[in-house]
Amino acid sequence: MPMTASTVLTARALLLDMDGTLVNSDAVVERVWRRWADRHGLDGDEVMKVVHGRQGYASMAVLLPSRPMEQNHADNARMLAEETADMDGVVAVEGAGEFLASLRALGVPHALVTSADVGLSAARMGAAGLALPELRITAESVGASKPDPEGFLKGAAELGVAPEECVVFEDSGAGISAGRSAGMRVVGVGARAGLHRPDAVVRDLRGVRVEGLEGGGVRLRVGGDRVRRSPRP
């Protein structure tokens, strides 16, 4: 990662995507969606450009636009079962455990806002060894998938924080678009995020330092600490 000065953001709450942001589930996502692509005669590489960040039925609607939505929902239920049964290769994004622990220690209001359902989010966070935030906005919580901002707006409302006082952490184009549409600033995590021009971007969560502010709120130093930190022995 190149030498750059850190970006400093202040917020009263953080809204955290799961896949690609806290949990690296790319291996299982690739397996499941490439099998789906083969079943439908679609190019796997093109499918993988669409699926990150969205609920499964929403990805299917983009990829098979003439198919009835009830078929997408039924197919999505089968896909969720496949994904929940497959935890091979699911690991934490580097720095995710320490990042979440710092939020709990400082009492920073935060929520998980994920396109996964309750079962899949619990399974993947558990497989990655990460504690679930107290507030979770999952697929069951919303009527529309990212890039619709509903999930982030609902997370902010349940935390009692105005959208403009929230910072979103996301890895996908759909998620970054949802955060922007919600009127929030967005920190991108990983290589995919950098393609969608978030407000700041880091390779992983080791690149974020969290500091509590007097009277509540949090200061985020994003990017600079990652490149200045000495390697661990």
Side-chain angles (χ1 to χ4, degrees), residues 26-186:
D26 281 1
V28 63
V29 172
E30 288 267 349
R31 284 194 294 273
V32 170
W33 277 99
R34 286 185 182 276
R35 286 199 299 266
W36 183 88
D38 288 343
R39 289 197 296 269
H40 293 280
L42 299 175
D43 182 271
D45 291 340
E46 294 304 310
V47 167
M48 295 313 301
K49 292 176 183 178
V50 172
V51 300
H52 292 290
R54 292 179 170 87
Q55 292 189 44
Y57 75 86
S59 295
M60 294 169 192
V62 173
L63 294 161
L64 297 173
S66 63
R67 191 165 79 157
M69 188 58 76
E70 58 266 24
Q71 287 186 243
N72 294 337
H73 282 286
D75 216 359
N76 184 46
R78 289 189 290 269
M79 294 279 283
L80 283 170
E82 283 186 58
E83 291 184 89
T84 304
D86 185 355
M87 292 294 126
D88 187 20
V90 175
V91 297
V93 167
E94 290 199 74
E98 296 85 349
F99 175 68
L100 289 171
S102 70
L103 300 185
R104 293 192 298 271
L106 292 168
V108 178
H110 63 286
L112 189 72
V113 182
T114 176
S115 293
D117 65 3
V118 169
L120 182 57
S121 59
R124 283 188 176 161
M125 290 287 281
L130 300 175
L132 281 162
E134 184 175 338
L135 176 61
R136 279 98 68 183
I137 306 298
T138 63
E140 297 92 338
S141 308
V142 298
S145 169
K146 299 172 185 175
D148 191 282
E150 181 186 358
F152 288 126
L153 291 171
K154 185 166 187 177
E158 294 203 17
L159 290 171
V161 177
E164 63 270 18
E165 294 184 305
C166 296
V167 169
V168 165
F169 282 73
E170 264 286 359
D171 74 301
S172 71
I176 290 168
S177 179
R180 285 202 186 111
S181 295
M184 301 171 183
R185 291 151 296 154
V186 182

